[in-house]
Amino acid sequence: MASAVMKRASSTLLGCLRQSSAAARTYASLSVGTDIVSAGPNVSLQKARSWDEGVSSKFSTTPLKDIFKGKKIVIFGLPGAYTGVCSQQHVPSYKNNIDKFKTKGIDSVICVAVNDPYVLNGWAEKLQAKDAIEFYGDFDGSFHKSLELTKDLSGALLGHRSERWSAYVEDGLVKVLNVEEAPSDFKVSGGEVILGQI
Amino acid sequence: MASAVMKRASSTLLGCLRQSSAAARTYASLSVGTDIVSAGPNVSLQKARSWDEGVSSKFSTTPLKDIFKGKKIVIFGLPGAYTGVCSQQHVPSYKNNIDKFKTKGIDSVICVAVNDPYVLNGWAEKLQAKDAIEFYGDFDGSFHKSLELTKDLSGALLGHRSERWSAYVEDGLVKVLNVEEAPSDFKVSGGEVILGQI
């Protein structure tokens, strides 16, 4: 059932997006060897939190260097909270393998999306994934813009979001990078794939 | 406790936003007498739904005339799903009074926000408000732009959203309009206030 739903979701979204994707596909400036911190020197992310926590934190943000410098990070990006592939496959593929990531010495597994941190928090709680994965919002898309990983998904009523991607980043340097050909695909950006690459 | 949290949330967000709001406050073009359909002739909203329902509907949208023409509508707009005043006061003030709106002959009570329809659906389900209220997304802000009710709430990590407002609309014509002075306020846009105006 879930599989059937996914295939249907995937093929319909592909119907919307594949053609423009094929015609206008530009590969991200992000590549193996990129310093993800230097690529966005003024970029910050917003740790997922409740509105009340947002208020208590004075709406603080987290500079990229605080996330990546001196650490081994697995990060994955997806088109949006509460969408199909993201909820049913992408996040679970990391959540369910979190012990294997820790065994490999990964400091944090991070999920990032062009959503505000309160929406992302609500979704992470619904997926019961907050204990395993750190969620960060990129509410204005500036992180994904700095990596040229943005995507217009207005055809799916989402607006300007991101590609579906994953990376292994050591001390800010990209060591492994996977970007799906279309955001509806789930072939290379899942937890199992990157586990075999690090 | 909830009251204390609200006061804190309100005063901190005010701290962020009041100054710019006072300095740059521009009143909406929307006013009593406005034809809300003619104001956005090409604008559609997106009915809140799950991702799978979005796929099944082929990502359909709803033209404004289908929502407003020939109907008595109470509509309220708010800065975002999963934010404080919206979750704890604004939506409940309509949900808890839905029978009174029906007694007054209102066809639908509608909540609209600059969110995608899947996020809005997740939030409506969490608030257990879907049976009482119809939720519509304005994912690209085009509805609020057509009414000049947009607001930059980047200081609260939300980006470009909307004012907090409510209106009573008969056959597309605005009969009653309430716009809060600041989006963190909850003085004039609640369910109880508009109940006394219609």
Side-chain angles (χ1 to χ4, degrees), chain A residues 5 8-9 51-52 55-56 59 82 84 116 118-119 139 155-157 159 161, chain B residues 5 8-9 12 51-52 56 59 82 84 116 118-119 139 155-157 159 161:
Chain A
V5 168
R8 183 161 49 85
W51 174 258
D52 288 343
V55 171
S56 301
F59 303 114
Y82 293 95
D116 69 58
Y118 324 112
V119 160
F139 82 89
L157 312 179
R161 300 297 180 98
Chain B
V5 168
R8 182 161 50 80
T12 309
W51 175 258
D52 288 343
S56 300
F59 303 115
Y82 293 96
D116 70 58
Y118 325 113
V119 160
F139 82 89
L157 312 180
R161 300 299 179 96

PDB file of all heavy atoms in Angstrom, chain A residues 5 8-9 51-52 55-56 59 82 84 116 118-119 139 155-157 159 161, chain B residues 5 8-9 12 51-52 56 59 82 84 116 118-119 139 155-157 159 161:
ATOM      1  N   VAL A   5       1.391   3.848  -3.010  1.00  0.00           N
ATOM      2  CA  VAL A   5       1.188   5.289  -2.865  1.00  0.00           C
ATOM      3  C   VAL A   5       2.435   6.038  -3.320  1.00  0.00           C
ATOM      4  O   VAL A   5       2.378   7.031  -4.026  1.00  0.00           O
ATOM      5  CB  VAL A   5       0.842   5.649  -1.400  1.00  0.00           C
ATOM      6  CG1 VAL A   5       0.934   7.157  -1.184  1.00  0.00           C
ATOM      7  CG2 VAL A   5      -0.561   5.155  -1.049  1.00  0.00           C
ATOM      8  N   ARG A   8       2.793   6.053  -7.035  1.00  0.00           N
ATOM      9  CA  ARG A   8       1.836   6.973  -7.636  1.00  0.00           C
ATOM     10  C   ARG A   8       2.293   8.417  -7.426  1.00  0.00           C
ATOM     11  O   ARG A   8       2.327   9.212  -8.347  1.00  0.00           O
ATOM     12  CB  ARG A   8       0.455   6.739  -6.992  1.00  0.00           C
ATOM     13  CG  ARG A   8      -0.653   7.564  -7.555  1.00  0.00           C
ATOM     14  CD  ARG A   8      -2.015   6.930  -7.204  1.00  0.00           C
ATOM     15  NE  ARG A   8      -2.116   6.603  -5.791  1.00  0.00           N
ATOM     16  CZ  ARG A   8      -2.484   7.471  -4.853  1.00  0.00           C
ATOM     17  NH1 ARG A   8      -2.755   8.708  -5.164  1.00  0.00           N
ATOM     18  NH2 ARG A   8      -2.586   7.097  -3.586  1.00  0.00           N
ATOM     19  N   ALA A   9       2.664   8.722  -6.171  1.00  0.00           N
ATOM     20  CA  ALA A   9       3.123  10.076  -5.865  1.00  0.00           C
ATOM     21  C   ALA A   9       4.318  10.429  -6.734  1.00  0.00           C
ATOM     22  O   ALA A   9       4.386  11.484  -7.346  1.00  0.00           O
ATOM     23  CB  ALA A   9       3.496  10.183  -4.389  1.00  0.00           C
ATOM     24  N   TRP A  51       7.318  27.231  18.721  1.00  0.00           N
ATOM     25  CA  TRP A  51       7.224  28.688  18.725  1.00  0.00           C
ATOM     26  C   TRP A  51       7.696  29.256  20.064  1.00  0.00           C
ATOM     27  O   TRP A  51       8.473  30.222  20.097  1.00  0.00           O
ATOM     28  CB  TRP A  51       5.792  29.136  18.433  1.00  0.00           C
ATOM     29  CG  TRP A  51       5.615  30.616  18.562  1.00  0.00           C
ATOM     30  CD1 TRP A  51       5.052  31.286  19.609  1.00  0.00           C
ATOM     31  CD2 TRP A  51       6.041  31.620  17.623  1.00  0.00           C
ATOM     32  NE1 TRP A  51       5.085  32.637  19.379  1.00  0.00           N
ATOM     33  CE2 TRP A  51       5.691  32.877  18.167  1.00  0.00           C
ATOM     34  CE3 TRP A  51       6.685  31.572  16.388  1.00  0.00           C
ATOM     35  CZ2 TRP A  51       5.949  34.079  17.515  1.00  0.00           C
ATOM     36  CZ3 TRP A  51       6.951  32.775  15.740  1.00  0.00           C
ATOM     37  CH2 TRP A  51       6.584  33.994  16.285  1.00  0.00           C
ATOM     38  N   ASP A  52       7.261  28.645  21.163  1.00  0.00           N
ATOM     39  CA  ASP A  52       7.652  29.164  22.485  1.00  0.00           C
ATOM     40  C   ASP A  52       9.168  29.077  22.677  1.00  0.00           C
ATOM     41  O   ASP A  52       9.781  29.982  23.249  1.00  0.00           O
ATOM     42  CB  ASP A  52       6.936  28.393  23.604  1.00  0.00           C
ATOM     43  CG  ASP A  52       5.449  28.750  23.674  1.00  0.00           C
ATOM     44  OD1 ASP A  52       5.063  29.792  23.106  1.00  0.00           O
ATOM     45  OD2 ASP A  52       4.683  27.982  24.275  1.00  0.00           O
ATOM     46  N   VAL A  55      10.670  31.912  20.732  1.00  0.00           N
ATOM     47  CA  VAL A  55      10.574  33.170  21.474  1.00  0.00           C
ATOM     48  C   VAL A  55      11.651  33.204  22.566  1.00  0.00           C
ATOM     49  O   VAL A  55      12.379  34.195  22.709  1.00  0.00           O
ATOM     50  CB  VAL A  55       9.166  33.322  22.086  1.00  0.00           C
ATOM     51  CG1 VAL A  55       9.119  34.508  23.046  1.00  0.00           C
ATOM     52  CG2 VAL A  55       8.127  33.483  20.985  1.00  0.00           C
ATOM     53  N   SER A  56      11.762  32.102  23.342  1.00  0.00           N
ATOM     54  CA  SER A  56      12.755  32.043  24.426  1.00  0.00           C
ATOM     55  C   SER A  56      14.172  32.241  23.890  1.00  0.00           C
ATOM     56  O   SER A  56      15.022  32.831  24.562  1.00  0.00           O
ATOM     57  CB  SER A  56      12.688  30.697  25.146  1.00  0.00           C
ATOM     58  OG  SER A  56      11.415  30.489  25.680  1.00  0.00           O
ATOM     59  N   PHE A  59      14.627  34.081  18.781  1.00  0.00           N
ATOM     60  CA  PHE A  59      14.687  33.769  17.351  1.00  0.00           C
ATOM     61  C   PHE A  59      16.133  33.648  16.856  1.00  0.00           C
ATOM     62  O   PHE A  59      16.491  34.129  15.771  1.00  0.00           O
ATOM     63  CB  PHE A  59      13.909  34.813  16.541  1.00  0.00           C
ATOM     64  CG  PHE A  59      12.474  34.942  16.976  1.00  0.00           C
ATOM     65  CD1 PHE A  59      11.998  36.112  17.559  1.00  0.00           C
ATOM     66  CD2 PHE A  59      11.588  33.893  16.817  1.00  0.00           C
ATOM     67  CE1 PHE A  59      10.677  36.224  17.973  1.00  0.00           C
ATOM     68  CE2 PHE A  59      10.267  34.004  17.231  1.00  0.00           C
ATOM     69  CZ  PHE A  59       9.808  35.170  17.805  1.00  0.00           C
ATOM     70  N   TYR A  82       6.069  17.407   5.555  1.00  0.00           N
ATOM     71  CA  TYR A  82       4.702  16.947   5.271  1.00  0.00           C
ATOM     72  C   TYR A  82       4.487  16.559   3.804  1.00  0.00           C
ATOM     73  O   TYR A  82       3.351  16.506   3.342  1.00  0.00           O
ATOM     74  CB  TYR A  82       3.653  17.993   5.700  1.00  0.00           C
ATOM     75  CG  TYR A  82       3.601  18.178   7.198  1.00  0.00           C
ATOM     76  CD1 TYR A  82       4.318  19.194   7.826  1.00  0.00           C
ATOM     77  CD2 TYR A  82       2.864  17.311   7.998  1.00  0.00           C
ATOM     78  CE1 TYR A  82       4.301  19.346   9.200  1.00  0.00           C
ATOM     79  CE2 TYR A  82       2.841  17.461   9.378  1.00  0.00           C
ATOM     80  CZ  TYR A  82       3.553  18.489   9.970  1.00  0.00           C
ATOM     81  OH  TYR A  82       3.536  18.644  11.335  1.00  0.00           O
ATOM     82  N   GLY A  84       5.351  13.613   0.627  1.00  0.00           N
ATOM     83  CA  GLY A  84       5.277  12.160   0.657  1.00  0.00           C
ATOM     84  C   GLY A  84       6.584  11.420   0.804  1.00  0.00           C
ATOM     85  O   GLY A  84       6.806  10.720   1.799  1.00  0.00           O
ATOM     86  N   ASP A 116      10.088  26.900   7.773  1.00  0.00           N
ATOM     87  CA  ASP A 116      10.450  27.604   9.000  1.00  0.00           C
ATOM     88  C   ASP A 116      10.688  26.573  10.119  1.00  0.00           C
ATOM     89  O   ASP A 116      10.262  25.417  10.016  1.00  0.00           O
ATOM     90  CB  ASP A 116       9.388  28.647   9.370  1.00  0.00           C
ATOM     91  CG  ASP A 116       8.072  28.053   9.816  1.00  0.00           C
ATOM     92  OD1 ASP A 116       8.063  27.284  10.781  1.00  0.00           O
ATOM     93  OD2 ASP A 116       7.038  28.362   9.197  1.00  0.00           O
ATOM     94  N   TYR A 118       9.484  26.152  13.032  1.00  0.00           N
ATOM     95  CA  TYR A 118       8.337  25.697  13.825  1.00  0.00           C
ATOM     96  C   TYR A 118       7.574  24.603  13.075  1.00  0.00           C
ATOM     97  O   TYR A 118       7.153  23.606  13.672  1.00  0.00           O
ATOM     98  CB  TYR A 118       7.425  26.888  14.156  1.00  0.00           C
ATOM     99  CG  TYR A 118       8.218  28.142  14.395  1.00  0.00           C
ATOM    100  CD1 TYR A 118       8.164  29.231  13.517  1.00  0.00           C
ATOM    101  CD2 TYR A 118       9.105  28.220  15.458  1.00  0.00           C
ATOM    102  CE1 TYR A 118       8.934  30.359  13.704  1.00  0.00           C
ATOM    103  CE2 TYR A 118       9.896  29.343  15.655  1.00  0.00           C
ATOM    104  CZ  TYR A 118       9.804  30.412  14.769  1.00  0.00           C
ATOM    105  OH  TYR A 118      10.587  31.517  14.948  1.00  0.00           O
ATOM    106  N   VAL A 119       7.423  24.786  11.783  1.00  0.00           N
ATOM    107  CA  VAL A 119       6.828  23.750  10.939  1.00  0.00           C
ATOM    108  C   VAL A 119       7.696  22.495  10.974  1.00  0.00           C
ATOM    109  O   VAL A 119       7.203  21.374  11.126  1.00  0.00           O
ATOM    110  CB  VAL A 119       6.674  24.259   9.487  1.00  0.00           C
ATOM    111  CG1 VAL A 119       6.535  23.106   8.500  1.00  0.00           C
ATOM    112  CG2 VAL A 119       5.485  25.213   9.379  1.00  0.00           C
ATOM    113  N   PHE A 139      14.640  28.873   6.248  1.00  0.00           N
ATOM    114  CA  PHE A 139      13.326  29.475   5.960  1.00  0.00           C
ATOM    115  C   PHE A 139      13.339  30.374   4.733  1.00  0.00           C
ATOM    116  O   PHE A 139      12.340  30.450   4.019  1.00  0.00           O
ATOM    117  CB  PHE A 139      12.774  30.214   7.195  1.00  0.00           C
ATOM    118  CG  PHE A 139      13.307  31.605   7.395  1.00  0.00           C
ATOM    119  CD1 PHE A 139      12.680  32.698   6.816  1.00  0.00           C
ATOM    120  CD2 PHE A 139      14.434  31.821   8.163  1.00  0.00           C
ATOM    121  CE1 PHE A 139      13.164  33.981   7.018  1.00  0.00           C
ATOM    122  CE2 PHE A 139      14.923  33.104   8.368  1.00  0.00           C
ATOM    123  CZ  PHE A 139      14.292  34.187   7.785  1.00  0.00           C
ATOM    124  N   GLY A 155       4.696  23.744  -9.174  1.00  0.00           N
ATOM    125  CA  GLY A 155       3.771  22.779  -9.784  1.00  0.00           C
ATOM    126  C   GLY A 155       3.185  21.806  -8.780  1.00  0.00           C
ATOM    127  O   GLY A 155       2.114  21.250  -8.987  1.00  0.00           O
ATOM    128  N   ALA A 156       3.902  21.602  -7.678  1.00  0.00           N
ATOM    129  CA  ALA A 156       3.406  20.731  -6.603  1.00  0.00           C
ATOM    130  C   ALA A 156       2.905  21.563  -5.420  1.00  0.00           C
ATOM    131  O   ALA A 156       2.759  21.041  -4.314  1.00  0.00           O
ATOM    132  CB  ALA A 156       4.505  19.772  -6.162  1.00  0.00           C
ATOM    133  N   LEU A 157       2.647  22.859  -5.667  1.00  0.00           N
ATOM    134  CA  LEU A 157       2.093  23.794  -4.650  1.00  0.00           C
ATOM    135  C   LEU A 157       3.058  24.028  -3.496  1.00  0.00           C
ATOM    136  O   LEU A 157       2.647  24.275  -2.365  1.00  0.00           O
ATOM    137  CB  LEU A 157       0.735  23.283  -4.120  1.00  0.00           C
ATOM    138  CG  LEU A 157      -0.282  22.841  -5.176  1.00  0.00           C
ATOM    139  CD1 LEU A 157      -1.566  22.349  -4.510  1.00  0.00           C
ATOM    140  CD2 LEU A 157      -0.575  23.953  -6.161  1.00  0.00           C
ATOM    141  N   GLY A 159       6.243  25.970  -4.101  1.00  0.00           N
ATOM    142  CA  GLY A 159       7.069  27.164  -4.309  1.00  0.00           C
ATOM    143  C   GLY A 159       8.534  26.821  -4.435  1.00  0.00           C
ATOM    144  O   GLY A 159       8.897  25.695  -4.819  1.00  0.00           O
ATOM    145  N   ARG A 161      11.839  25.607  -3.325  1.00  0.00           N
ATOM    146  CA  ARG A 161      12.358  24.705  -2.291  1.00  0.00           C
ATOM    147  C   ARG A 161      13.758  24.231  -2.676  1.00  0.00           C
ATOM    148  O   ARG A 161      14.535  24.990  -3.240  1.00  0.00           O
ATOM    149  CB  ARG A 161      11.385  23.520  -2.117  1.00  0.00           C
ATOM    150  CG  ARG A 161       9.975  23.952  -1.699  1.00  0.00           C
ATOM    151  CD  ARG A 161       9.963  24.640  -0.339  1.00  0.00           C
ATOM    152  NE  ARG A 161       8.629  25.054   0.054  1.00  0.00           N
ATOM    153  CZ  ARG A 161       7.833  24.365   0.866  1.00  0.00           C
ATOM    154  NH1 ARG A 161       8.247  23.212   1.364  1.00  0.00           N
ATOM    155  NH2 ARG A 161       6.644  24.821   1.189  1.00  0.00           N
TER     156      ARG A 161
ATOM    157  N   VAL B   5       2.638  32.460  28.712  1.00  0.00           N
ATOM    158  CA  VAL B   5       3.408  32.161  27.502  1.00  0.00           C
ATOM    159  C   VAL B   5       3.011  33.109  26.385  1.00  0.00           C
ATOM    160  O   VAL B   5       3.834  33.660  25.673  1.00  0.00           O
ATOM    161  CB  VAL B   5       3.186  30.688  27.067  1.00  0.00           C
ATOM    162  CG1 VAL B   5       3.736  30.464  25.663  1.00  0.00           C
ATOM    163  CG2 VAL B   5       3.848  29.746  28.058  1.00  0.00           C
ATOM    164  N   ARG B   8       4.382  36.547  26.900  1.00  0.00           N
ATOM    165  CA  ARG B   8       5.811  36.569  26.616  1.00  0.00           C
ATOM    166  C   ARG B   8       6.045  36.546  25.106  1.00  0.00           C
ATOM    167  O   ARG B   8       6.803  37.330  24.557  1.00  0.00           O
ATOM    168  CB  ARG B   8       6.475  35.368  27.294  1.00  0.00           C
ATOM    169  CG  ARG B   8       7.963  35.284  27.138  1.00  0.00           C
ATOM    170  CD  ARG B   8       8.557  34.361  28.214  1.00  0.00           C
ATOM    171  NE  ARG B   8       7.900  33.077  28.306  1.00  0.00           N
ATOM    172  CZ  ARG B   8       8.127  32.047  27.489  1.00  0.00           C
ATOM    173  NH1 ARG B   8       8.995  32.171  26.516  1.00  0.00           N
ATOM    174  NH2 ARG B   8       7.499  30.906  27.635  1.00  0.00           N
ATOM    175  N   ALA B   9       5.348  35.611  24.446  1.00  0.00           N
ATOM    176  CA  ALA B   9       5.512  35.491  22.992  1.00  0.00           C
ATOM    177  C   ALA B   9       5.141  36.801  22.324  1.00  0.00           C
ATOM    178  O   ALA B   9       5.860  37.307  21.471  1.00  0.00           O
ATOM    179  CB  ALA B   9       4.624  34.363  22.474  1.00  0.00           C
ATOM    180  N   THR B  12       7.737  39.636  23.035  1.00  0.00           N
ATOM    181  CA  THR B  12       9.027  39.473  22.356  1.00  0.00           C
ATOM    182  C   THR B  12       8.884  39.694  20.858  1.00  0.00           C
ATOM    183  O   THR B  12       9.717  40.345  20.244  1.00  0.00           O
ATOM    184  CB  THR B  12       9.613  38.079  22.622  1.00  0.00           C
ATOM    185  OG1 THR B  12       9.601  37.868  24.015  1.00  0.00           O
ATOM    186  CG2 THR B  12      11.028  37.986  22.090  1.00  0.00           C
ATOM    187  N   TRP B  51      -0.283  15.068   1.465  1.00  0.00           N
ATOM    188  CA  TRP B  51       0.467  14.944   0.219  1.00  0.00           C
ATOM    189  C   TRP B  51      -0.205  13.963  -0.741  1.00  0.00           C
ATOM    190  O   TRP B  51      -0.347  14.234  -1.939  1.00  0.00           O
ATOM    191  CB  TRP B  51       1.900  14.493   0.503  1.00  0.00           C
ATOM    192  CG  TRP B  51       2.681  14.226  -0.742  1.00  0.00           C
ATOM    193  CD1 TRP B  51       2.971  13.006  -1.281  1.00  0.00           C
ATOM    194  CD2 TRP B  51       3.239  15.203  -1.636  1.00  0.00           C
ATOM    195  NE1 TRP B  51       3.682  13.157  -2.443  1.00  0.00           N
ATOM    196  CE2 TRP B  51       3.863  14.492  -2.690  1.00  0.00           C
ATOM    197  CE3 TRP B  51       3.272  16.592  -1.641  1.00  0.00           C
ATOM    198  CZ2 TRP B  51       4.517  15.127  -3.726  1.00  0.00           C
ATOM    199  CZ3 TRP B  51       3.926  17.231  -2.691  1.00  0.00           C
ATOM    200  CH2 TRP B  51       4.533  16.510  -3.709  1.00  0.00           C
ATOM    201  N   ASP B  52      -0.646  12.814  -0.212  1.00  0.00           N
ATOM    202  CA  ASP B  52      -1.285  11.815  -1.082  1.00  0.00           C
ATOM    203  C   ASP B  52      -2.557  12.374  -1.713  1.00  0.00           C
ATOM    204  O   ASP B  52      -2.843  12.119  -2.886  1.00  0.00           O
ATOM    205  CB  ASP B  52      -1.596  10.544  -0.297  1.00  0.00           C
ATOM    206  CG  ASP B  52      -0.330   9.760   0.026  1.00  0.00           C
ATOM    207  OD1 ASP B  52       0.709  10.007  -0.618  1.00  0.00           O
ATOM    208  OD2 ASP B  52      -0.373   8.889   0.909  1.00  0.00           O
ATOM    209  N   SER B  56      -3.406  12.885  -5.640  1.00  0.00           N
ATOM    210  CA  SER B  56      -4.669  12.411  -6.231  1.00  0.00           C
ATOM    211  C   SER B  56      -5.426  13.540  -6.916  1.00  0.00           C
ATOM    212  O   SER B  56      -6.100  13.325  -7.926  1.00  0.00           O
ATOM    213  CB  SER B  56      -5.569  11.810  -5.140  1.00  0.00           C
ATOM    214  OG  SER B  56      -4.931  10.733  -4.515  1.00  0.00           O
ATOM    215  N   PHE B  59      -2.648  18.159  -7.785  1.00  0.00           N
ATOM    216  CA  PHE B  59      -2.211  19.455  -7.270  1.00  0.00           C
ATOM    217  C   PHE B  59      -3.153  20.581  -7.702  1.00  0.00           C
ATOM    218  O   PHE B  59      -2.716  21.666  -8.090  1.00  0.00           O
ATOM    219  CB  PHE B  59      -0.763  19.739  -7.694  1.00  0.00           C
ATOM    220  CG  PHE B  59       0.202  18.675  -7.255  1.00  0.00           C
ATOM    221  CD1 PHE B  59       0.873  17.874  -8.184  1.00  0.00           C
ATOM    222  CD2 PHE B  59       0.438  18.440  -5.912  1.00  0.00           C
ATOM    223  CE1 PHE B  59       1.754  16.881  -7.780  1.00  0.00           C
ATOM    224  CE2 PHE B  59       1.315  17.442  -5.500  1.00  0.00           C
ATOM    225  CZ  PHE B  59       1.984  16.671  -6.431  1.00  0.00           C
ATOM    226  N   TYR B  82       1.782  26.538  13.116  1.00  0.00           N
ATOM    227  CA  TYR B  82       2.742  26.162  14.173  1.00  0.00           C
ATOM    228  C   TYR B  82       3.374  27.364  14.886  1.00  0.00           C
ATOM    229  O   TYR B  82       4.411  27.215  15.516  1.00  0.00           O
ATOM    230  CB  TYR B  82       3.845  25.232  13.635  1.00  0.00           C
ATOM    231  CG  TYR B  82       3.310  23.890  13.227  1.00  0.00           C
ATOM    232  CD1 TYR B  82       2.989  23.625  11.898  1.00  0.00           C
ATOM    233  CD2 TYR B  82       3.102  22.881  14.162  1.00  0.00           C
ATOM    234  CE1 TYR B  82       2.466  22.391  11.509  1.00  0.00           C
ATOM    235  CE2 TYR B  82       2.583  21.656  13.781  1.00  0.00           C
ATOM    236  CZ  TYR B  82       2.279  21.419  12.459  1.00  0.00           C
ATOM    237  OH  TYR B  82       1.775  20.208  12.080  1.00  0.00           O
ATOM    238  N   GLY B  84       2.701  30.708  17.704  1.00  0.00           N
ATOM    239  CA  GLY B  84       2.063  30.719  19.013  1.00  0.00           C
ATOM    240  C   GLY B  84       0.649  31.256  19.060  1.00  0.00           C
ATOM    241  O   GLY B  84      -0.293  30.530  19.377  1.00  0.00           O
ATOM    242  N   ASP B 116       2.252  26.014   2.608  1.00  0.00           N
ATOM    243  CA  ASP B 116       1.772  25.073   1.601  1.00  0.00           C
ATOM    244  C   ASP B 116       0.614  24.253   2.190  1.00  0.00           C
ATOM    245  O   ASP B 116       0.442  24.182   3.404  1.00  0.00           O
ATOM    246  CB  ASP B 116       2.925  24.205   1.071  1.00  0.00           C
ATOM    247  CG  ASP B 116       3.440  23.211   2.084  1.00  0.00           C
ATOM    248  OD1 ASP B 116       2.647  22.386   2.570  1.00  0.00           O
ATOM    249  OD2 ASP B 116       4.651  23.243   2.396  1.00  0.00           O
ATOM    250  N   TYR B 118       0.042  21.159   2.540  1.00  0.00           N
ATOM    251  CA  TYR B 118       0.359  19.933   3.295  1.00  0.00           C
ATOM    252  C   TYR B 118       0.746  20.283   4.734  1.00  0.00           C
ATOM    253  O   TYR B 118       0.346  19.602   5.686  1.00  0.00           O
ATOM    254  CB  TYR B 118       1.472  19.143   2.596  1.00  0.00           C
ATOM    255  CG  TYR B 118       1.358  19.247   1.098  1.00  0.00           C
ATOM    256  CD1 TYR B 118       2.312  19.923   0.325  1.00  0.00           C
ATOM    257  CD2 TYR B 118       0.237  18.727   0.435  1.00  0.00           C
ATOM    258  CE1 TYR B 118       2.169  20.082  -1.041  1.00  0.00           C
ATOM    259  CE2 TYR B 118       0.084  18.879  -0.927  1.00  0.00           C
ATOM    260  CZ  TYR B 118       1.057  19.552  -1.661  1.00  0.00           C
ATOM    261  OH  TYR B 118       0.908  19.713  -3.018  1.00  0.00           O
ATOM    262  N   VAL B 119       1.518  21.339   4.882  1.00  0.00           N
ATOM    263  CA  VAL B 119       1.862  21.850   6.214  1.00  0.00           C
ATOM    264  C   VAL B 119       0.587  22.289   6.940  1.00  0.00           C
ATOM    265  O   VAL B 119       0.368  21.967   8.108  1.00  0.00           O
ATOM    266  CB  VAL B 119       2.851  23.028   6.101  1.00  0.00           C
ATOM    267  CG1 VAL B 119       2.851  23.885   7.367  1.00  0.00           C
ATOM    268  CG2 VAL B 119       4.253  22.517   5.805  1.00  0.00           C
ATOM    269  N   PHE B 139       0.383  29.422  -0.848  1.00  0.00           N
ATOM    270  CA  PHE B 139       1.795  29.029  -0.750  1.00  0.00           C
ATOM    271  C   PHE B 139       2.763  30.063  -1.313  1.00  0.00           C
ATOM    272  O   PHE B 139       3.870  30.215  -0.825  1.00  0.00           O
ATOM    273  CB  PHE B 139       2.026  27.641  -1.384  1.00  0.00           C
ATOM    274  CG  PHE B 139       2.182  27.643  -2.879  1.00  0.00           C
ATOM    275  CD1 PHE B 139       3.431  27.804  -3.462  1.00  0.00           C
ATOM    276  CD2 PHE B 139       1.091  27.471  -3.706  1.00  0.00           C
ATOM    277  CE1 PHE B 139       3.592  27.793  -4.844  1.00  0.00           C
ATOM    278  CE2 PHE B 139       1.221  27.466  -5.088  1.00  0.00           C
ATOM    279  CZ  PHE B 139       2.473  27.633  -5.655  1.00  0.00           C
ATOM    280  N   GLY B 155      12.288  38.528  10.917  1.00  0.00           N
ATOM    281  CA  GLY B 155      12.814  38.668  12.276  1.00  0.00           C
ATOM    282  C   GLY B 155      12.356  37.558  13.201  1.00  0.00           C
ATOM    283  O   GLY B 155      13.008  37.254  14.200  1.00  0.00           O
ATOM    284  N   ALA B 156      11.231  36.934  12.868  1.00  0.00           N
ATOM    285  CA  ALA B 156      10.727  35.799  13.638  1.00  0.00           C
ATOM    286  C   ALA B 156      10.976  34.483  12.908  1.00  0.00           C
ATOM    287  O   ALA B 156      10.360  33.461  13.220  1.00  0.00           O
ATOM    288  CB  ALA B 156       9.235  35.978  13.907  1.00  0.00           C
ATOM    289  N   LEU B 157      11.899  34.494  11.926  1.00  0.00           N
ATOM    290  CA  LEU B 157      12.326  33.303  11.162  1.00  0.00           C
ATOM    291  C   LEU B 157      11.196  32.742  10.300  1.00  0.00           C
ATOM    292  O   LEU B 157      11.145  31.531  10.050  1.00  0.00           O
ATOM    293  CB  LEU B 157      12.881  32.220  12.103  1.00  0.00           C
ATOM    294  CG  LEU B 157      13.897  32.691  13.142  1.00  0.00           C
ATOM    295  CD1 LEU B 157      14.352  31.514  14.014  1.00  0.00           C
ATOM    296  CD2 LEU B 157      15.103  33.343  12.490  1.00  0.00           C
ATOM    297  N   GLY B 159       9.954  34.683   7.313  1.00  0.00           N
ATOM    298  CA  GLY B 159       9.991  35.195   5.943  1.00  0.00           C
ATOM    299  C   GLY B 159       8.757  36.020   5.624  1.00  0.00           C
ATOM    300  O   GLY B 159       8.127  36.588   6.516  1.00  0.00           O
ATOM    301  N   ARG B 161       5.172  36.668   5.048  1.00  0.00           N
ATOM    302  CA  ARG B 161       3.893  36.055   5.423  1.00  0.00           C
ATOM    303  C   ARG B 161       2.777  37.085   5.300  1.00  0.00           C
ATOM    304  O   ARG B 161       2.804  37.911   4.391  1.00  0.00           O
ATOM    305  CB  ARG B 161       4.002  35.497   6.853  1.00  0.00           C
ATOM    306  CG  ARG B 161       5.088  34.422   7.019  1.00  0.00           C
ATOM    307  CD  ARG B 161       4.830  33.207   6.146  1.00  0.00           C
ATOM    308  NE  ARG B 161       5.876  32.212   6.285  1.00  0.00           N
ATOM    309  CZ  ARG B 161       5.791  31.148   7.111  1.00  0.00           C
ATOM    310  NH1 ARG B 161       4.715  30.966   7.844  1.00  0.00           N
ATOM    311  NH2 ARG B 161       6.784  30.275   7.174  1.00  0.00           N
TER     312      ARG B 161
END
